[in-house]
Each structure stands twice: as C-alpha cells, then as structure tokens.
Amino acid sequence: MKPFAYERPVDVSSAVTTVAGRPEASFLAGGTNLVDLMKMEVLTPELLVDVRHLVSRRIETLTGGGLRIGAGVSNNELAADRRIRRRYPVLSQALLAGASYQLRNLATVGGNFLQRTRCPYFRDVTMPCNKREPGTGCAARDGHQRDLAVLGASDSCVATHPSDMAVAMAALDAVVHTVGPSGERSIQVNELYRSPADGPERDTVLERGELITAVELPASPVAATSRYRKVRDRASYAFALVSVAAALEVRDGSVTEVRLALGGVAHKPWRAATAERALLGRPATEANFRAAAEAELAAAQALAGNAFKVPLARNTIVSMLRTLTEEA
Ligand code: SF4
C-alpha cells in the first residue's frame, strides 16, 4: 500500500472543502471497500478524510411515515432496525445478503452506495480497464464474462454494480441527500448512477467533494409485502449473478401496485420500469409475470459467458412475483 495522510475534520463543511480542493483526497467512512482497493493499489489516494464521526448514525421516523437514515448507520444496524424489518423487509433482506457479519458492522449506508465494481480486471492493475484507467481498453470483454452486465452496458465497460442494498433502495424509490461544494441536494437513487457510455471511470453523478449524508425512504404501504432474492455461485459472501428486489400489492386477483429492481445485471441497480408498467392492472398470473419479465429483458445484450443471466433473471422475477402473490 502506498503511504497516505489521514485527517479527521471537525465538521462536514471542512471535510467537503478539503476533498473538493484536492483531487488526490478521498472520503473515508467504513473503509471496507476503499482500503481493500488501496492495498491492491487500484486506488491510491494521498489523503483520507475521515467522515464517519461527522455523519448521522440515527434512523428517524419522518412526518408522513417515511424514514431518514443517517449515512453513518452501519449495514447491520439498518438490517436489524425493527421499522425496516416490518415496513421495508426487502431492504433488511438485501443488507443481510451482502458481505459478512463483520464487514456489515463496519460498512456504512453511505459507503454501500459507492462500492466499486468487483470486475476482476478492475481490481488487477496489470490488466487494461477503462474504469480504472480511462482509454486503456476492457479486458473483461474477451475474458471472464460470467459476472458481466446484460443491460445498459457500453462498449467501453460491461461491469456490474455490486451493492445489494442499492437494489432494494432503487425499488423503494429512496432519495440520497448530499452536501457538496455547491451546497445540499437530493438525488433519487435511480438517478445516482451514470451510464458507462458517458465515461466508466465515474460511477455516480456525485461531484468531487460531494458527501452522502443521509438517505430517505418514502412511506410505502406496498413495501410491507416485499422481498429480496439473490442468486449467486455460493450461499454466502458472494456477489449476485442476478438479484431481484420486489414489492407487490394484489387486489381481486389483479396487480394494483408493484416495485421491481434487478441487481447483478447492469452497471447500476436496474429499476425494471417496463415490467412494472406491463404488470399494473393486469391479473396476477404466472403468464403475465413471465410476459412482463420478458418485456424488461428484451433489451438485454449478452456475451457468450453471461447469456445465462437473461433466463435466470426472467425466472427469478417470475418466481419472486409468484411468492409475493401467495403472501399478498
Ligand atoms: Fe474495466 Fe469495466 Fe472492462 Fe471490467 S468491464 S475490465 S471494470 S472497463
């Protein structure tokens, strides 16, 4: 690991000013992904600005029934919160599907959104990778393709986003709150991530020095009937080949509300808006679930090594909606 300096600023404003003004500086919260990447010299910040003590570790109930989650809340604290387990079970299940108990104790909600891809070529500094070093090429296209994206990829990068939590947040219409050099702003999780076609080296729309301070979950009665399912190569401590976050309301046999997002298939949590539109108002039958999943996946572009993800995603969506219909 290359030597680096460490600072512990007294407030958010100084942390933002420092990172905004120094291209070689980086925020540090739980550090569970950043420090790994520093050890491999994939990332080499010269200054780490510790913000863990500056961002809230509280989960507050909002007027109207939503929740505001401080960016410093740990993944385990959020998964265990009784309000999350009862009103947003998909989020608790997604968090518990990620990493290990020890990592979840350290990892923060803010940092979870900003995890870097686990594409093996991104993590190997001897290989070409447009995300790590723009313009060098993409070793994954002709390499190991099993984990790559089938939706929204570009010629320059086919990597997938690794977060389970963010998939559930996307399905729940969560909103991220930030403080940056230009002040405060709110960003829908579904708008947080950039297309790899616009330059894969930047994962999100956040500006240099912009810090995630909280995330808000809107009140959502349908979220009480929600689930997360993660399909992966082994039962724990593995990233999703395909995952599905879903919430469903069925009345008189028809779908009256539905939320659907996919993980492991794109550079970001993939909100399945086409499938949602295809389902709304239609009878909650397996045939309609299958047709909706196929409509969503019609735009999929697979490589030889990840083509299995298309039927896997379709079948996981159908199976999840069937389960939720039985529960509803
Ligand atoms: Fe790099 Fe993206 Fe290609 Fe992986 S898929 S090697 S992250 S450019």
Side-chain angles (χ1 to χ4, degrees):
M1 185 190 278
K2 293 201 169 149
F4 60 91
Y6 170 87
E7 273 183 21
R8 203 162 188 271
V10 291
D11 53 31
V12 167
S13 151
S14 334
V16 165
T17 304
T18 302
V19 175
R22 293 186 58 175
E24 76 288 2
S26 180
F27 291 125
L28 171 73
T32 53
N33 186 214
L34 173 62
V35 175
D36 266 357
L37 293 172
M38 288 172 67
K39 286 181 192 164
M40 293 182 279
E41 298 190 359
V42 172
L43 298 178
T44 53
E46 292 173 13
L47 170 65
L48 292 186
V49 177
D50 195 340
V51 292
R52 178 115 201 198
H53 60 294
L54 300 178
V55 287
S56 167
R57 295 189 67 165
R58 295 181 58 206
I59 304 170
E60 300 163 73
T61 301
L62 300 170
T63 315
L67 294 176
R68 184 180 174 98
I69 302 156
V73 172
S74 80
N75 287 198
N76 268 343
E77 286 165 342
L78 186 60
D81 186 273
R82 270 191 298 171
R83 292 162 292 182
I84 297 290
R85 287 165 53 198
R86 195 174 66 247
R87 288 156 51 188
Y88 306 93
V90 63
L91 179 55
S92 180
Q93 291 166 18
L95 285 155
L96 294 175
S100 65
Y101 193 89
Q102 291 86 348
L103 283 172
R104 292 196 301 267
N105 268 344
L106 261 185
T108 63
V109 167
N112 194 322
F113 282 112
L114 304 180
Q115 289 184 67
R116 306 304 304 273
T117 182
R118 292 329 195 265
C119 173
Y121 305 100
F122 172 74
R123 295 161 67 86
D124 180 346
V125 293
T126 66
M127 301 301 287
C129 170
N130 289 323
K131 188 179 277 295
R132 178 171 27 77
E133 210 175 332
T136 55
C138 172
R141 276 202 163 270
D142 296 318
H144 183 74
Q145 300 172 338
R146 185 169 175 76
D147 298 320
L148 298 182
V150 293
L151 289 166
S154 82
D155 285 344
S156 55
C157 181
V158 216
T160 51
H161 193 267
S163 170
D164 294 294
M165 180 199 78
V167 180
M169 293 283 195
L172 295 169
D173 286 324
V175 177
V176 163
H177 294 269
T178 69
V179 177
S182 314
E184 299 181 14
R185 65 170 171 158
S186 307
I187 308 164
Q188 289 276 344
V189 169
N190 287 302
E191 307 293 328
L192 179 63
Y193 299 96
R194 297 169 83 247
S195 161
D198 301 332
E201 68 277 10
R202 273 185 64 203
D203 293 344
T204 71
V205 299
L206 298 182
E207 300 298 332
R208 163 143 288 280
E210 190 169 6
L211 177 69
I212 295 178
T213 52
V215 54
E216 264 183 41
L217 290 176
S220 173
V222 70
T225 311
S226 65
R227 274 177 177 268
Y228 187 74
R229 188 166 294 164
K230 179 174 180 178
V231 184
R232 47 187 158 172
D233 278 330
R234 57 175 191 268
S236 70
Y237 205 44
F239 293 90
L241 292 168
V242 164
S243 69
V244 176
L248 185 71
E249 182 186 77
V250 176
R251 290 210 178 141
D252 299 327
S254 289
V255 175
T256 47
E257 205 169 340
V258 59
R259 308 283 174 80
L260 208 50
L262 308 178
V265 295
H267 59 287
K268 63 175 185 173
W270 189 265
R271 183 69 182 264
T274 303
E276 289 179 358
R277 281 194 297 274
L279 287 164
L280 260 184
R282 306 290 299 277
T285 63
E286 179 148 343
N288 285 339
F289 297 159
R290 188 164 294 275
E294 281 170 356
E296 186 65 49
L297 294 160
Q301 287 187 316
L303 301 165
N306 67 355
F308 72 96
K309 283 193 176 185
V310 179
L312 182 61
R314 181 197 62 215
N315 294 343
T316 310
I317 292 170
V318 172
S319 143
M320 177 70 103
L321 292 173
R322 202 170 47 214
T323 303
L324 286 171
T325 303
E326 285 161 10
E327 288 176 3

